[in-house]
Amino acid sequence: MEGTEEYFAKEMFPGMDFAEEEKSLLKEEMNGMLKNMDKEELKHFFSKEEFDENYKLIELNKYPFEKALMLLKHVGYNNAKKLRDHHCLTDISLKKRFIRMIVEEGKKKDGNDERLLVDLCECYLFYRARYVLINDEILLTCVKCLLKVALNKEENKEARKEVEIALLALGDVRYFDMSEELYLNEIKEIVQYNQDHHNLTHLAYQSAWQFLFNRFFGDKMLEIVIVNELHFITEATRELEKLTRSVDWQIKDDDKRGKETEDVNTLRRWLHTLEICFEFHRMQNEELVELVCSIIQIFRAAKGYYGYICDLCYNSMIKAVKNKAVKIDCLLKGGTVDLFSEEMNQSTLKDAVIWDCSDFFMNISERQRKKTDGHTEEEERKATKMEVFEKMEEEGYEDIITSFLEIFYFLNNKYFSDFLSFNIFDYFVNA
């Protein structure tokens, strides 16, 4: 079929931008499977209705299931990589076929088609509804199967790509309890081997951490493993710094400015993971200063180009101070107080920024007013409190807050998840 890769990109993904290297990848990987498909088959493959129609053709053996499976896998991988929404298997007839085949292949003691099982598991995880419970048997089969793929330490390009796809599929398995025996030793080996040999892509490494983070809500022992054994804070800081250096923030071409690249998307995924981390876990470690510095550096670099990256930086810092995940002096040394002060001084603030900044400083003030039990800790609190207050006084913070009082009612009604205080003294650490 002439021009397959261009047709595939334009017809199957209307409105989606493909870089030249992605087109080359599409040509290399998909031409072999697409050459026997006519335009009508291509055009109608991915709507919900056509999913069901194609399922009927597959069941009648008029359409090759293997071809459909590879198309689904390729599209699911690209959507997950770029954080795009897609149809869920809960909405389409193929769900039953996928589940039946995964169960059948998983039960085979010998002679199962490992390649088929891997493709089925990846497709199932890419297309399932994220908040719908997974059958325990299906989850067990998928996790075991894809961890085996992710443990492959071969250095060739094909193996690295398969590892990335497997980890990306696993990284999307959220909110499900599973025994640590099912995954912990394997995922620790994957993370630690990469720390020594750097064999994973940035996306694969982030996905491995994402899979691990999705497991440890309320699990203090796993939290200790992540922080102390796997050195999450140091690793996250290093990855953020690498990605920050690799992104062309000051791109001059207006058509390319703000466009999502693989590095930008991976950076976005890391920031989302950190946002979850700061919201639910307290990791008060001095190494956090460097991590905070990296987040602030990303915000400054992304401002004016990637608004959603800036929002993630904002949110992670607000949750860090609210949840007491980071000590106030770490926020101070990392430049967070400076950043929020600068933002409040901008003459063209959006109301969301005003609300975020006010919320941040109100939580700073609330934490600084609470006395600690230990004598040494109390002295440190008072010293930090004075340092923060001097910084706020230097920036004219009192005048800024006073000027915003009249719109607090509006902000509270618009951003109703939390409420800003109308009492101006709640915003000052010396109160």
Side-chain angles (χ1 to χ4, degrees):
M1 178 176 166
E2 186 178 355
T4 303
E5 74 281 8
E6 286 82 6
Y7 185 85
F8 183 77
K10 293 177 182 177
E11 296 296 322
M12 303 285 282
F13 305 100
M16 290 169 62
D17 296 311
F18 282 79
E20 288 302 316
E21 62 268 24
E22 289 181 294
K23 290 181 181 178
S24 176
L25 181 63
L26 284 171
K27 182 176 182 179
E28 177 185 339
E29 295 188 352
M30 304 304 294
N31 270 356
M33 289 174 286
L34 299 177
K35 64 183 180 181
N36 296 319
M37 295 178 67
D38 61 38
K39 288 188 177 182
E40 286 304 306
E41 287 177 315
L42 279 168
K43 183 178 179 181
H44 294 295
F45 197 83
F46 285 104
S47 70
K48 177 188 180 302
E49 293 75 19
E50 298 305 330
F51 259 126
D52 291 335
E53 288 301 316
N54 277 280
Y55 173 68
K56 292 176 183 176
L57 294 175
I58 292 168
E59 290 295 280
L60 293 171
N61 295 318
K62 293 182 179 180
Y63 193 92
F65 179 77
E66 292 76 12
K67 192 181 294 184
L69 181 63
M70 291 308 297
L71 279 168
L72 282 168
K73 173 178 172 176
H74 190 79
V75 176
Y77 162 69
N78 276 283
N79 282 340
K81 182 171 68 173
K82 297 176 182 179
L83 298 167
R84 292 190 174 116
D85 293 329
H86 50 69
H87 293 295
C88 297
L89 281 175
T90 50
D91 299 329
I92 59 177
S93 305
L94 273 172
K95 177 184 177 182
K96 292 180 181 179
R97 172 89 179 237
F98 271 58
I99 291 175
R100 184 174 73 249
M101 293 183 71
I102 290 172
V103 171
E104 290 173 355
E105 289 297 322
K107 284 182 176 178
K108 292 179 181 178
K109 300 298 182 182
D110 299 301
N112 69 328
D113 188 336
E114 290 188 11
R115 182 69 263 168
L116 173 61
L117 183 58
V118 168
D119 293 337
L120 285 167
C121 290
E122 288 170 344
C123 267
Y124 182 76
L125 293 182
F126 281 141
Y127 284 90
R128 69 173 183 81
R130 290 173 179 170
Y131 305 104
V132 175
L133 292 177
I134 301 179
N135 177 281
D136 288 342
E137 185 178 10
I138 299 294
L139 180 61
L140 180 68
T141 301
C142 288
V143 171
K144 283 186 173 181
C145 173
L146 298 187
L147 281 175
K148 184 178 179 180
V149 175
L151 281 164
N152 185 356
K153 298 178 176 65
E154 294 179 40
E155 292 293 335
N156 63 73
K157 184 179 178 181
E158 182 180 348
R160 283 165 61 89
K161 181 66 174 292
E162 285 301 322
V163 168
E164 180 180 274
I165 295 172
L167 284 171
L168 187 60
L170 285 171
D172 216 25
V173 179
R174 304 179 186 178
Y175 313 120
F176 303 108
D177 293 327
M178 63 177 78
S179 169
E180 290 180 5
E181 295 176 0
L182 176 60
Y183 68 89
L184 187 55
N185 289 336
E186 289 85 352
I187 204 71
K188 280 175 64 177
E189 181 180 342
I190 291 166
V191 169
Q192 289 172 333
Y193 189 84
N194 184 72
Q195 290 173 355
D196 294 333
H197 300 89
H198 308 292
N199 64 309
L200 299 177
T201 65
H202 288 302
L203 177 59
Y205 193 42
Q206 190 282 327
S207 299
W209 280 110
Q210 185 68 50
F211 173 78
L212 198 50
F213 259 84
N214 286 338
R215 308 279 74 76
F216 86 142
F217 288 97
D219 188 336
K220 291 298 181 183
M221 293 305 297
L222 190 54
E223 188 169 329
I224 292 170
V225 170
I226 288 174
V227 177
N228 297 335
E229 290 187 40
L230 299 179
H231 312 291
F232 169 73
I233 297 170
T234 301
E235 291 298 301
T237 303
R238 187 181 67 185
E239 287 295 303
L240 290 182
E241 289 175 351
K242 283 183 180 178
L243 290 164
T244 302
R245 288 194 298 269
S246 67
V247 174
D248 184 3
W249 299 105
Q250 303 300 323
I251 195 165
K252 295 179 181 179
D253 187 339
D254 288 340
D255 292 332
K256 295 181 180 179
R257 186 178 298 161
K259 293 290 180 64
E260 296 180 353
T261 64
E262 185 163 332
D263 286 338
V264 170
N265 279 318
T266 306
L267 187 62
R268 181 181 175 187
R269 296 174 73 90
W270 268 109
L271 290 169
H272 180 66
T273 299
L274 289 169
E275 187 181 353
I276 295 173
C277 167
F278 290 143
E279 183 171 6
F280 294 102
H281 308 285
R282 297 182 183 182
M283 297 186 291
Q284 296 191 355
N285 187 310
E286 288 302 317
E287 293 174 338
L288 281 167
V289 174
E290 296 301 319
L291 181 57
V292 171
C293 282
S294 295
I295 294 172
I296 300 306
Q297 181 185 358
I298 291 167
F299 178 90
R300 295 188 189 282
K303 191 174 181 181
Y305 299 97
Y306 299 92
Y308 56 87
I309 295 289
C310 292
D311 290 342
L312 285 169
C313 294
Y314 261 135
N315 293 339
S316 63
M317 291 296 91
I318 290 170
K319 287 174 180 177
V321 70
K322 274 188 174 183
N323 191 45
K324 303 178 184 177
V326 180
K327 291 181 179 179
I328 300 297
D329 62 333
C330 285
L331 295 172
L332 189 63
K333 293 174 184 176
T336 310
V337 175
D338 290 296
L339 176 68
F340 277 87
S341 296
E342 290 169 16
E343 288 298 298
M344 292 198 77
N345 269 311
Q346 298 296 316
S347 59
T348 56
L349 279 178
K350 295 181 180 179
D351 52 76
V353 177
I354 301 170
W355 193 89
D356 286 339
C357 291
S358 301
D359 191 33
F360 174 82
F361 280 113
M362 188 170 71
N363 279 279
I364 287 275
S365 299
E366 183 181 349
R367 283 180 60 180
Q368 289 294 76
R369 282 199 296 267
K370 294 181 178 178
K371 294 183 178 181
T372 56
D373 296 330
H375 180 70
T376 303
E377 289 184 358
E378 180 63 18
E379 288 181 350
E380 290 177 358
R381 181 190 71 84
K382 287 181 178 179
T384 303
K385 178 178 176 180
M386 183 57 64
E387 194 173 348
V388 173
F389 176 67
E390 288 174 355
K391 176 69 67 177
M392 292 161 63
E393 190 175 42
E394 182 182 322
E395 296 290 338
Y397 178 72
E398 183 173 353
D399 293 335
I400 296 170
I401 285 293
T402 303
S403 69
F404 287 148
L405 275 178
E406 292 184 6
I407 63 169
F408 277 6
Y409 181 79
F410 162 76
L411 296 176
N412 280 336
N413 279 277
K414 186 169 183 180
Y415 306 100
F416 55 85
S417 58
D418 292 294
F419 288 92
L420 300 172
S421 172
F422 286 93
N423 184 353
I424 192 170
F425 294 106
D426 287 345
Y427 292 85
F428 302 125
V429 294
N430 66 326

